């Protein structure tokens, strides 16, 4: 199966749909999702909370039957697909403010969000992704090094492998902050970064698209 993640930056058009369709994913973990985002042949589930008037924090889209779960955190959507829990999260960034993160430094907000998020998810059978606002190696641009350490701890506790760890960001010299993590037992066939451009070379988002082909077992 193929799974992908993309921060749509609250945008939606035929060009966005065309780029998504071309990746032939079975499950999409889309963040900053406008409320009219729709993929033909896919069921969907969005966070109740919104970033803005028409923008949800996150959504899970699937070709297979989707069973929505309560949001484990206001900025995370979760659903059961094919017997697995799929969670899509936006995590704090340096200029994120306090809603829905609370007060504190970036690392404190990240640790708090992770604690709430993982407390709301069942143990095992988890695929987790989205815009984590943290590179997992190299220079840290959007998040914090302490936040990166906290995310790594969660990945280890949940026995997840991060398939996007070494992929580049659209900004040269940086690594991606958009991620897909799957169980360590899963077989990873391939991982791809897709530049988020339309046919005329125009940027469709300030984030690129990341996909992985895998066998969950």
């Amino acid at each position: 199966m193929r799974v992908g993640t993309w921060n749509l930056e609250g945008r939606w058009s035929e060009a966005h749909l065309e780029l998504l369709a071309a990746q032939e994913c079975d499950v999409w973990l889309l963040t900053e999702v406008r409320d009219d985002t729709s993929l033909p042949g896919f069921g969907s589930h969005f966070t109740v909370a919104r970033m803005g008037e028409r923008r949800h924090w996150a959504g899970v889209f699937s070709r297979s039957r989707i069973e929505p779960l309560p949001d484990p955190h206001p900025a995370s959507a979760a659903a059961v697909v094919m017997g697995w829990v799929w969670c899509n999260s936006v995590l704090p960034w340096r200029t994120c403010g306090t809603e829905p993160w609370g007060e504190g430094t970036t690392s404190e907000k990240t640790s708090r969000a992770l604690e709430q998020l993982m407390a709301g998810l069942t143990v095992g059978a988890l695929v987790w992704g989205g815009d984590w606002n943290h590179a997992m190696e190299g220079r840290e641009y959007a998040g914090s090094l302490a936040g990166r350490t906290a995310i790594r701890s969660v990945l280890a506790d949940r026995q997840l492998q991060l398939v996007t760890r070494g992929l580049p960001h659209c900004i040269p010299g940086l690594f991606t902050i958009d991620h897909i993590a799957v169980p360590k037992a899963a077989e990873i066939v391939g991982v791809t970064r897709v530049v988020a451009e339309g046919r005329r070379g125009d940027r469709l988002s300030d984030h690129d698209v990341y996909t992985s082909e895998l066998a969950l077992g």
Side-chain angles (χ1 to χ4, degrees):
M1 68 178 303
R2 288 179 64 82
V3 56
T5 189
W6 189 16
N7 183 320
L8 290 164
E9 205 184 359
R11 307 178 189 179
W12 187 242
S13 68
E14 286 297 321
H16 291 82
L17 176 57
E18 183 177 285
L19 183 58
L20 287 167
Q23 311 316 312
E24 298 183 337
C25 285
D26 301 291
V27 179
W28 278 105
L29 304 175
L30 302 178
T31 53
E32 296 198 34
V33 191
R34 211 168 75 179
D35 56 10
D36 60 346
T37 301
S38 177
L39 303 179
F42 283 73
S44 62
H45 170 59
F46 300 91
T47 54
V48 174
R50 298 175 181 242
M51 297 182 71
E53 184 177 350
R54 297 196 62 188
R55 187 183 306 194
H56 295 269
W57 287 99
V60 179
F61 294 72
S62 172
R63 294 185 191 273
S64 300
R65 183 171 178 268
I66 187 167
E67 301 174 39
L69 295 173
D71 295 345
H73 181 275
S76 294
V80 176
V81 177
M82 295 177 290
W84 294 77
V85 175
W86 298 73
C87 181
N88 185 19
S89 300
V90 177
L91 294 180
W93 61 100
R94 290 182 184 178
T95 58
C96 66
T98 59
E99 183 61 36
W101 318 109
E103 301 286 347
T105 64
T106 306
S107 61
E108 289 170 341
K109 293 173 185 176
T110 302
S111 294
R112 186 184 305 122
L114 289 170
E115 182 178 359
Q116 181 178 344
L117 174 60
M118 290 302 145
L121 293 171
T122 57
V123 175
L126 174 66
V127 178
W128 178 37
D131 180 3
W132 296 353
N133 284 300
H134 287 74
M136 298 310 291
E137 60 180 73
R139 177 188 171 196
E140 187 54 59
Y141 179 77
S144 68
L145 292 176
R148 178 189 297 183
T149 298
I151 294 170
R152 285 177 174 170
S153 178
V154 168
L155 293 172
D157 288 344
R158 288 303 180 96
Q159 294 291 297
L160 299 174
Q161 56 178 317
L162 188 63
V163 302
T164 47
R165 177 173 180 168
L167 294 183
H169 193 287
C170 61
I171 299 176
L174 299 179
F175 290 95
T176 181
I177 60 174
D178 299 282
H179 294 290
I180 301 169
V182 301
K184 288 186 175 180
E187 178 185 354
I188 309 303
V189 180
V191 187
T192 305
R193 169 202 176 199
V194 180
V195 176
E197 292 183 350
R199 291 186 179 183
R200 299 178 180 179
D202 53 315
R203 290 290 307 186
L204 300 177
S205 169
D206 59 0
H207 294 247
D208 282 333
V209 178
Y210 298 88
T211 69
S212 179
E213 186 171 354
L214 53 91
L216 285 177

